[in-house]
Amino acid sequence: MHITQLNRECLLHLFSFLDKNSRKSLAETCHQLLEVFQDPSLWCLLNFHSPAELKKNNFLLGPALKYLSICWYSEQVKVCNIEDWMKNNFQKDFCNRHENTVSDFLLEVCNRCPNLLSLTLSGCGHITDDCILLLLKNCPNLKTLKLENCVRITDRTLEAVTLYGGSLQTLHVDFCRNITRTGLERVRERRPLVTLRAERSADMIPDNKPEKKLTLEKASRKLVQL
């Protein structure tokens, strides 16, 4: 029996065992398999392991998407996590090439995937509070939000959780160095039912722009003189 002789239910079951690349390769063999590839029910779960994967045309975004994970564990993550004013020209050029890749992708998720239940972002150094705010507004059913080593995430994201995370049950902000204890306490106070975890976040040294550091140094010198 040829694979195209299988009914649609069997083909969907077969596709469900394949990764994104294998599904795409199989779909390119004939029109019938392409239609199966484009079935929304096949795309309720998406896992990505680098920003480059977000640009591939080997997946489908739609209302069926419930679980999304973008975890970047490459050594290159260290470049993105350096404060902008400390990057050399090579590092800035590297970051500029993909700075908006993840945020642009999440904007598409906001527009196409209103039924998202779980989002995990790890090592996404260019993700901002505004991006998470928009996602919380557009995905009201979100129950799990896990952010790890996202250096641009601040207490503004925690504030957005208290305002728009009505369905949220789990919030992780691990190794997000610009999160503060005050912000965490505000979440605990306003969303007591949310399971909150912030491993190392409030204990890490937050970023300060050079002008802020200079102001702090001057204030310290004045105190010493007194």
Side-chain angles (χ1 to χ4, degrees):
M1 177 182 288
H2 192 272
I3 186 174
T4 56
Q5 293 177 286
L6 296 172
N7 61 36
R8 191 175 184 84
E9 184 179 354
C10 289
L11 290 174
L12 283 170
H13 186 64
L14 174 63
F15 267 76
S16 69
F17 289 99
L18 304 177
D19 60 26
K20 297 188 294 296
N21 289 332
S22 299
R23 290 179 183 180
K24 181 62 176 178
S25 297
L26 186 57
E28 291 174 342
T29 60
C30 74
H31 182 71
Q32 180 182 352
L33 295 179
L34 177 60
E35 288 184 347
V36 176
F37 173 85
Q38 294 173 338
D39 192 306
S41 65
L42 199 61
W43 303 101
C44 63
L45 169 67
L46 282 173
N47 294 317
F48 299 94
H49 302 289
S50 78
E53 291 184 19
L54 303 177
K55 298 181 179 181
K56 291 185 177 181
N57 189 27
N58 61 354
F59 59 89
L60 185 71
L61 285 180
L65 182 64
K66 301 291 182 63
Y67 308 94
L68 173 62
S69 173
I70 305 173
C71 297
W72 192 15
Y73 294 114
S74 165
E75 284 293 316
Q76 296 169 333
V77 171
K78 296 179 180 178
V79 176
C80 300
N81 289 341
I82 298 173
E83 293 90 335
D84 289 339
W85 60 85
M86 293 183 63
K87 293 175 184 175
N88 57 39
N89 290 334
F90 173 79
Q91 292 168 331
K92 288 179 180 178
D93 179 65
F94 174 83
C95 288
N96 288 337
R97 278 180 282 165
H98 66 264
E99 180 171 4
N100 298 320
T101 301
V102 179
S103 56
D104 288 348
F105 177 80
L106 288 179
L107 181 60
E108 291 296 317
V109 172
C110 289
N111 294 330
R112 301 184 188 183
C113 311
N115 300 314
L116 190 68
L117 297 177
S118 175
L119 173 65
T120 298
L121 299 175
S122 181
C124 300
H126 299 298
I127 289 297
T128 64
D129 297 313
D130 290 335
C131 188
I132 300 301
L133 169 63
L134 188 61
L135 190 133
L136 287 168
K137 285 183 175 181
N138 286 273
C139 301
N141 299 318
L142 193 69
K143 296 182 182 298
T144 300
L145 177 60
K146 296 182 179 180
L147 306 173
E148 179 185 17
N149 202 14
C150 297
V151 297
R152 294 193 179 183
I153 295 301
T154 71
D155 286 357
R156 287 185 59 216
T157 285
L158 300 182
E159 182 67 20
V161 166
T162 66
L163 295 175
Y164 306 107
S167 299
L168 210 62
Q169 298 175 356
T170 300
L171 173 64
H172 292 179
V173 283
D174 299 332
F175 295 91
C176 297
R177 63 180 179 241
N178 290 300
I179 293 292
T180 69
R181 292 188 181 278
T182 301
L184 294 172
E185 289 302 325
R186 188 174 295 117
V187 173
R188 292 190 177 98
E189 178 184 343
R190 298 182 182 178
R191 298 288 181 186
L193 298 181
V194 172
T195 301
L196 178 62
R197 192 180 79 182
E199 184 178 349
R200 294 290 301 277
S201 291
D203 296 325
M204 301 177 77
I205 300 175
D207 296 339
N208 289 302
K209 292 184 179 180
E211 57 269 21
K212 290 185 179 180
K213 290 182 178 179
L214 183 61
T215 300
L216 291 173
E217 289 175 359
K218 288 181 178 178
S220 298
R221 284 197 294 268
K222 287 183 179 179
L223 289 174
V224 170
Q225 292 173 356
L226 292 174

